[in-house]
Each structure stands twice: as structure tokens, then as C-alpha cells.
């Protein structure tokens, strides 16, 4: 009886191996990473030879707020991005728009991410320029955003989940 079972299992295995199936086993398939959809973080922004710092809040995909703290010329400027852009001062909204568009599109491209040493790297595009977003593979927290064609690099720190309570100003 055991020989019949073993023979049957061996025959089934041989048939499956010779059938040329390229499917993946469900438990062996790569896990699609999930990026955090809402968060608040400190950002160091480098644009060419210029540097800025801001508190960046993404309350949901497509809804962003940039509160600049440095340099002195931008200190206190707040830019909110939703389908349209409203700036607290001036028309210098291109950088926040690039950052927001690049990170939002990274969430859509997360399935094509590569992972190395606990860091997800996602290639994406913003305003027609190639961009790279990195995130912590275990938490989904955004680490960096880079757009070499625009000479733009953003380094995120102190990432924390966004909640309605955090967003309420009393």
C-alpha cells in the first residue's frame, strides 16, 4: 500500500515538473509592499545648492501639507496640496508638487519595488522626471525621495502616523 502511494506521488510530481508550469506557489510569492498612506515627518530638502526644512504631512494620498521651518525666507510658509495647490506665500510650489506626485505614484508602483537590507526602492516618475522613493520594508515609512533630473533630494525623519487629532489645531 505504501509503495502505491509513493509511486503515485512520484508520478504526479513528474507530471507537474514536465508540464512546464511557471506559476508560483502562493506561500512563496513575493509580498507586495505597502507604503504608509498617512503620516507626518520632518524633511530635509536639498534642491541644487539650496537647503530647506519642513514638516510634511500626508493625510491621505493626494492631500499634503508642507510647513517650512528653514531657511529664514520660507520660515512660517505653509503649502497645502489637494487636487489644486494653495500656497501661504509666493508661487514656489513646484518642489512640494514634485515630492507629492512622486511619493503618491510610488504607492501605485509598489508592486515593482526591489528590497535590499530592509529598504524598499521604488522607481517612479513625477512631472516627467525619473524619481526614486525608498521606504522601510517592515513599516512602510518613507525614508527618501530623489529626483536627480531636478537635482532634488528629500530625507525624511521622525515619521509618525497621521491621525485626525494630530491634524486639528486648537
Amino acid at each position: 500500500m505504501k509503495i502505491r502511494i509513493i509511486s503515485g506521488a512520484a508520478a504526479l510530481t513528474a507530471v507537474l515538473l514536465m508540464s512546464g508550469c511557471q506559476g508560483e506557489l502562493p506561500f512563496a510569492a513575493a509580498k507586495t509592499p505597502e507604503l504608509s498612506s498617512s503620516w507626518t515627518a520632518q524633511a530635509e530638502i536639498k534642491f541644487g545648492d539650496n537647503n530647506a526644512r519642513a514638516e510634511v504631512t500626508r493625510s491621505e494620498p493626494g492631500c499634503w501639507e508642507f510647513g517650512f521651518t528653514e531657511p529664514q525666507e520660507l520660515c512660517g510658509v505653509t503649502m497645502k496640496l489637494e487636487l489644486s495647490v494653495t500656497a501661504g506665500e509666493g508661487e514656489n510650489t513646484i518642489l512640494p508638487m514634485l515630492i507629492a506626485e512622486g511619493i503618491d505614484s510610488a504607492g501605485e508602483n509598489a508592486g515593482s519595488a526591489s528590497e535590499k537590507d530592509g529598504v524598499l526602492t521604488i522607481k517612479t516618475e513625477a512631472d516627467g522626471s525619473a524619481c526614486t522613493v525608498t521606504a522601510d520594508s517592515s513599516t512602510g515609512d518613507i525614508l527618501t525621495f530623489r529626483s536627480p533630473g531636478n537635482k532634488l533630494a528629500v530625507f525624511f525623519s521622525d515619521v509618525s502616523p497621521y491621525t485626525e487629532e494630530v491634524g486639528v489645531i486648537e
Side-chain angles (χ1 to χ4, degrees):
M1 179 71 174
K2 284 186 182 183
I3 293 177
R4 278 185 152 170
I5 293 174
I6 293 173
S7 298
L12 180 60
T13 302
V15 168
L16 289 175
L17 289 175
M18 288 190 270
S19 69
C21 293
Q22 296 294 323
E24 293 183 7
L25 297 173
F27 56 85
K31 181 184 176 220
T32 302
E34 291 186 26
L35 299 178
S36 298
S37 62
S38 59
W39 43 266
T40 297
Q42 298 302 312
E44 180 182 349
I45 303 168
K46 296 181 183 256
F47 180 61
D49 294 333
N50 301 308
N51 294 316
R53 290 188 182 274
E55 180 177 273
V56 178
T57 300
R58 181 186 191 213
S59 55
E60 61 185 66
C63 295
W64 293 79
E65 183 172 313
F66 291 77
F68 289 90
T69 56
E70 291 180 22
Q72 187 61 38
E73 298 83 15
L74 290 176
C75 188
V77 172
T78 299
M79 295 180 182
K80 294 182 181 182
L81 285 80
E82 291 186 33
L83 298 174
S84 60
V85 177
T86 58
E89 181 178 306
E91 296 297 320
N92 301 317
T93 58
I94 189 69
L95 294 180
M97 287 176 61
L98 281 170
I99 296 165
E101 182 181 343
I103 293 174
D104 282 346
S105 66
E108 299 164 8
N109 297 323
S112 63
S114 61
E115 181 181 359
K116 182 177 181 184
D117 298 329
V119 176
L120 294 173
T121 301
I122 305 165
K123 305 284 187 194
T124 188
E125 193 174 287
D127 197 35
S129 295
C131 303
T132 304
V133 175
T134 61
D136 183 304
S137 63
S138 63
T139 63
D141 291 344
I142 299 294
L143 301 173
T144 65
F145 170 81
R146 295 176 191 264
S147 179
N150 293 302
K151 298 181 181 176
L152 174 63
V154 184
F155 305 93
F156 295 96
S157 61
D158 302 327
V159 179
S160 60
Y162 172 84
T163 62
E164 288 297 323
E165 291 79 34
V166 171
V168 174
I169 300 173
E170 295 182 21

